Amino acid sequence: MSTAEIIDGKAFAEGLRARIAEMAASFEQAAGRKAGLAVVLVGADPASEVYVRSKGKQTVACGMESFEYKLPADTSEADLLAMVEQLNADPAVDGILVQLPLPGHLDEQKIISTTNPDKDVDGFHVTNVGRLSTGLPGFVPCTPLGCIMLLRDRLGSLSGLEAVVIGRSNIVGKPMAQLLLAESCTVTIAHSRTKDLEGVVRRADIVVAAVGRPEMVKGSWIKPGATVIDVGINRIEGAEGKTKLVGDVDFASAASVAGAITPVPGGVGPMTIAVLLRNALVAAHRNAGVALDEASL
Ligand code: NAD
């Protein structure tokens, strides 16, 4: 039986997009142009195409300009770098996102490090990674920032809480840990070599699972009343041969122990694009020198 509060990321993301739309309209008035987000897709990966379409639609729905570039899978690194340089120099473009993963012949790090850090709305450039770890204003990767927004909304102050992040990727685990540290949590990063993962998870007031293993974290691992944020998106075989999406947490068992939990789908997932739009709007204000109370977004 589910006793945990269900953290509704879909509803939260809707509210965030509404605030973004309001502020995008005031930005347009103040700057005399719309905030602009450029998304570059190389190749025709079906999942990436869905993401890119959805990003474009939501950008426009929030009153921002969407620039979409679809390049063939065999685009050379030199051509892609030239495109990034062109977007760096374009004053109508505030944020640049090159959809990952890229085809194997393209060096992702090289592409990321060519992006102007002040337009790097994904927060992957080493300058932004450094800014996050030293507490300077920059851009924070969208998914972990979305998780922090949900946690703050549910818990208020996170100060002094014991947080365990499972996963140490550059995209989710590491920036998530930095953000929790900045909120004054006591942070543990667990990963594939962690001994006694179960015991580590059991001491957490906040569990963030970003592993990519379907339903790995069991309810019996969770401290009663803990807040569980499930970043995992895994497609598994469901009933009648249909596939279904599940997280990294075994929702049924965890929801009977946790104080609050994000579902999959409808938890962290919807936050990612909403936070991307937030980052793009922040970039626009900074680039155009228009004041913004960033904390209100
Ligand atoms: P990744 O593969 O880069 O990293 C996975 C991490 O999990 C690694 O650091 C690894 O050490 C750890 N790990 C693997 N097996 C483990 C085990 N048995 N025990 C403990 N730790 C283990 O993945 P990622 O990019 O960080 O993504 C993680 C999950 O989050 C995936 O399911 C991905 O689809 C999902 N994701 C969701 C969003 C979103 O918008 N909601 C965004 C990004 C990623």
Side-chain angles (χ1 to χ4, degrees), residues 46-103:
S48 294
E49 279 190 334
V50 171
Y51 279 134
V52 167
R53 210 174 311 129
S54 189
K55 282 169 187 168
K57 262 199 207 154
Q58 293 189 33
T59 304
V60 172
C62 283
M64 294 160 61
E65 195 92 59
S66 171
F67 304 95
E68 285 169 50
Y69 299 91
K70 286 192 174 180
L71 306 181
D74 61 356
T75 299
S76 71
E77 194 165 277
D79 284 351
L80 182 56
L81 289 171
M83 159 138 280
V84 172
E85 295 283 15
Q86 181 196 319
L87 297 172
N88 281 345
D90 187 341
V93 172
D94 297 295
I96 302 169
L97 182 148
V98 179
Q99 184 67 43
L100 302 180
L102 288 170

Side-chain angles (χ1 to χ4, degrees), residues 161-181:
L161 295 179
E162 195 81 43
V164 171
V165 179
I166 319 173
R168 55 175 161 181
S169 72
N170 290 337
I171 295 175
V172 189
K174 283 183 206 160
M176 187 72 230
Q178 286 290 355
L179 285 167
L180 288 162
L181 189 60

Side-chain angles (χ1 to χ4, degrees), residues 60 106 152 189 241 244 277:
V60 172
L106 300 169
R152 280 206 210 109
I189 306 177
K244 62 168 185 169
L277 303 181

Side-chain angles (χ1 to χ4, degrees), residues 13 35 72 79 84 156 165 173 189 199 206-207 220-221 230 243 268:
D79 284 351
V84 172
V165 179
I189 306 177
I206 295 170
V207 182
S220 59
W221 302 12
D230 190 352
T243 61
V268 174

Side-chain angles (χ1 to χ4, degrees), residues 143 166-169 171-172 191-192 197 210-213 216 231-234 248 268-269 272:
T143 302
I166 319 173
R168 55 175 161 181
S169 72
I171 295 175
V172 189
H191 47 78
S192 52
L197 181 62
V211 186
R213 289 184 178 250
M216 184 187 82
V231 183
I233 301 177
N234 309 288
D248 291 340
V268 174
T272 300

